Structure formats: structure tokens, C-alpha cells
Amino acid sequence: MEEKEELERQEGYEPRPMWQVWGARIGLVLFILLVIGQIVNIARGGL
């Protein structure tokens, strides 16, 4: 019985480490800035 209880406790949702969360946020911001920069570049007439 104890083994089943341990397995049930181990399964389930585990939140990601904070460094991964902040890394994803920073990466998303950088990606959005890159896309905005490309749009501005195209709007100025450059390809």
C-alpha cells in the first residue's frame, strides 16, 4: 500500500523552475522586438 501512495504523490503537475519561466519571458520579448524591427524596416522601404 505504501508504494502506491508514493507513486500517486510523485505523479501530477510540477511547476517549471523559475529560471525557465523567466527565460521564456525574456525570449518572447526579444522575439517580439525582432518582429517589430522587421516590420519597421519593411515599412521604411527596405527588404
Side-chain angles (χ1 to χ4, degrees):
M1 292 293 272
E2 290 179 14
E3 291 178 12
K4 285 185 180 180
E5 290 175 7
E6 287 180 19
L7 288 175
E8 288 175 5
R9 275 191 234 132
Q10 290 176 358
E11 294 175 5
Y13 175 74
E14 282 190 33
R16 294 212 180 262
M18 286 308 293
W19 67 269
Q20 284 184 346
V21 174
W22 280 105
R25 289 175 181 166
I26 292 169
L28 179 62
V29 169
L30 291 175
F31 176 74
I32 290 172
L33 289 175
L34 178 73
V35 170
I36 290 171
Q38 291 294 320
I39 292 170
V40 168
N41 188 28
I42 291 171
R44 288 183 176 168
L47 285 173

